[in-house]
Amino acid sequence: MSSRFTKLFTLAISILMALSALLLTGCGSISKPTPGPGGDTDNPGGDPVTSDTLRIGIQETTEEKEMMQAVIKAYQEHYPDEKISVVSIQGDYAQKIVNQASSGELPDVFTNLDSLVGYLAKANVTLALDDYLAEANISKDDFYPSVYNLGIYNGKTYMLPREYSHVVVYYNKTMLREAGVDLNPETTKVKNGWTWADFIEVAQKCVKKVNNQIVQYGADLQLNWPTTVMSYLYGKGGTLFSDDKMSCTIDDQKTVAAYQELKGYVDSGAITNVFKSGAPTFLSQSVAMFCSVRPKANIVNKTLGDDWDVVSFPAMENVKTVGSGTVGYSVSNLSDKKERAVRFLMYMMSEEGMNVMASTGLVVPSRIALNTADAAWRNYPNANINQDAFIYQSENDMDPL
């Protein structure tokens, strides 16, 4: 990506998000994420950390800790003398990783984000993994290309993907049924391969008003998330750039028309306005549908029990693209335990290690071969949901922005 296009791309995405806020909010307040708590926790409840301990950095969530602890337990069955601690990083994860890299405190292995891969690799913070992959008999062809390629910078691999995150639509079964939506498997429109028109029809049915005030909304498209906004925009024939990538086309007639149509859906309550403070949420059961990815499944299952399901992102009229992405792991180039760190990472990326991760319900494996009809991950967190939605039409993947 050229320097000129990088600047143009950044500008276009900034304009896109600003345009979303202005069109959909007007003069209303824009909600901002609440910063997380302060200090990080190294090996909470575990063995004492020494200079010989291999440190694994993860994001501070219960689900992430449970998954990593399961992986470590399985790994130590092969290497019982290996001392490993989990570093739970709280608050703004990306900023914390950059800060730790600058101060030399980065864990030996750490959760990396696709948005940080190039930055950290260019700064020589992360270790190139290609030679180690060959030694471990792991090939890039084992993984979904759309997520594996996110770990590559200047032709070398610096991050390995743990998951295949494909945008789907979560829905509340009771709310849809009460709105008169047919959920009979033989006749429903709410099924993999449904269209944008089907999606909007269901969303509009789910809107409820009391005294002319909207009290229940149809769907949360996450309009502050470029991944879903771009799927919609491209699907409506809109563009952000000229064909030669030398100019921004956000004022293109089809792009403007797509936003005007979107504003109509927001005004009617068919789609929520996430730019307003106190916007309704799917988990509070004030929104019937919600666009997100697999890692959200655990908390949805804990909140709604059996009263939810998933379906593929709706197929658009023009370009059929679905947002996809990943979270992965890298080895710190600053580590004095590189050999041990690489060995642990290669175990995580093996079929055994990835099956352990998938068994917690948090991820769909990034390894293609593990996503068969009888794959173990399909039992988690709820075996009764439409698990096929998480890998449906992977050929339509759109790389993260």
Side-chain angles (χ1 to χ4, degrees):
M1 188 179 290
S2 69
S3 174
R4 174 183 169 83
F5 180 61
T6 299
K7 292 177 181 177
L8 179 64
F9 180 85
T10 302
L11 175 61
I13 294 301
S14 299
I15 294 172
L16 180 69
M17 292 295 97
L19 182 61
S20 296
L22 287 172
L23 281 176
L24 304 179
T25 304
C27 297
S29 61
I30 298 177
S31 60
K32 297 179 180 180
T34 303
D40 307 327
T41 307
D42 203 331
N43 206 34
D47 297 326
V49 178
T50 69
S51 60
D52 192 44
T53 303
L54 188 69
R55 301 172 71 237
I56 314 297
I58 65 169
Q59 292 173 294
E60 169 62 35
T61 71
T62 299
E63 293 80 12
E64 291 285 345
K65 285 188 283 188
E66 288 176 348
M67 187 180 75
M68 187 54 68
Q69 287 164 353
V71 172
I72 291 172
K73 180 180 178 181
Y75 180 74
Q76 288 177 326
E77 291 179 3
H78 298 279
Y79 302 97
D81 296 329
E82 184 70 274
K83 298 177 181 178
I84 304 175
S85 74
V86 176
V87 183
S88 294
I89 299 174
Q90 301 175 354
D92 186 335
Y93 184 81
Q95 187 60 55
K96 287 287 188 72
I97 288 297
V98 171
N99 292 346
Q100 290 184 357
S102 300
S103 64
E105 300 174 352
L106 198 62
D108 304 292
V109 180
F110 64 95
T111 303
N112 203 351
L113 309 178
D114 52 54
S115 58
L116 289 179
V117 170
Y119 175 83
L120 295 177
K122 186 176 181 180
N124 200 34
V125 170
T126 46
L127 183 69
L129 300 166
D130 303 270
D131 292 342
Y132 302 103
L133 286 167
E135 293 173 9
N137 197 29
I138 296 176
S139 167
K140 67 177 184 180
D141 296 330
D142 296 335
F143 303 86
Y144 287 98
S146 62
V147 295
Y148 186 89
N149 291 339
L150 296 175
I152 295 177
Y153 176 74
N154 278 353
K156 293 185 177 181
T157 305
Y158 291 91
M159 179 190 77
L160 294 176
R162 73 177 189 193
E163 66 191 52
Y164 176 60
S165 282
H166 194 65
V167 177
V168 298
V169 178
Y170 287 78
Y171 64 90
N172 184 307
K173 292 190 288 188
T174 293
M175 293 174 74
L176 264 64
R177 287 195 182 102
E178 289 179 349
V181 177
D182 175 18
L183 292 182
N184 183 321
E186 301 298 322
T187 56
T188 185
K189 292 183 178 180
V190 186
K191 60 185 178 182
N192 293 341
W194 65 333
T195 66
W196 176 257
D198 296 330
F199 171 76
I200 287 298
E201 179 184 333
V202 171
Q204 289 171 332
K205 281 186 176 181
C206 291
V207 176
K208 284 185 179 180
K209 294 183 179 180
V210 174
N211 296 327
N212 209 34
Q213 294 293 315
I214 301 172
V215 296
Q216 178 177 297
Y217 293 77
D220 181 356
L221 197 61
Q222 292 210 68
L223 295 178
N224 56 350
W225 187 22
T227 298
T228 50
V229 175
M230 291 305 299
S231 291
Y232 167 79
L233 183 61
Y234 288 155
K236 286 290 182 178
T239 60
L240 274 184
F241 313 105
S242 58
D243 291 340
D244 61 5
K245 302 294 189 293
M246 297 300 288
S247 60
C248 179
T249 59
I250 202 164
D251 58 348
D252 173 81
Q253 185 177 355
K254 289 184 178 180
T255 301
V256 173
Y259 262 100
Q260 289 173 337
E261 181 180 331
L262 188 60
K263 185 178 186 300
Y265 297 140
V266 170
D267 290 343
S268 71
I271 292 177
T272 58
N273 185 353
V274 296
F275 293 99
K276 280 191 173 180
S277 178
T281 67
F282 179 75
L283 290 179
S284 69
Q285 301 184 59
S286 53
V287 182
M289 298 183 290
F290 172 60
C291 295
S292 192
V293 289
R294 173 67 180 215
K296 203 71 176 180
N298 279 0
I299 185 63
V300 170
N301 196 61
K302 289 177 181 177
T303 304
L304 299 182
D306 290 326
D307 198 24
W308 67 283
D309 210 331
V310 290
V311 65
S312 64
F313 189 83
M316 304 298 295
E317 301 97 312
N318 293 287
V319 180
K320 294 177 174 58
T321 57
V322 181
S324 66
T326 193
V327 170
Y329 297 96
S330 295
V331 171
S332 170
N333 213 20
L334 310 175
S335 172
D336 59 358
K337 308 176 187 66
K338 288 189 183 70
E339 183 177 337
R340 292 165 57 196
V342 167
R343 185 175 67 186
F344 179 77
L345 176 55
M346 294 303 151
Y347 172 77
M348 292 184 73
M349 294 299 116
S350 69
E351 289 196 5
E352 178 184 332
M354 203 158 282
N355 270 325
V356 173
M357 287 190 280
S359 70
T360 66
L362 188 63
V363 301
V364 171
S366 56
R367 276 181 168 266
I368 300 171
L370 298 184
N371 292 329
T372 56
D374 59 349
W377 63 264
R378 292 174 175 269
N379 295 314
Y380 306 96
N382 188 327
N384 297 319
I385 63 171
N386 173 26
Q387 299 280 7
D388 284 340
F390 293 110
I391 57 173
Y392 185 77
Q393 292 189 338
S394 59
E395 66 274 14
N396 291 336
D397 283 346
M398 177 180 68
D399 290 341
L401 303 173

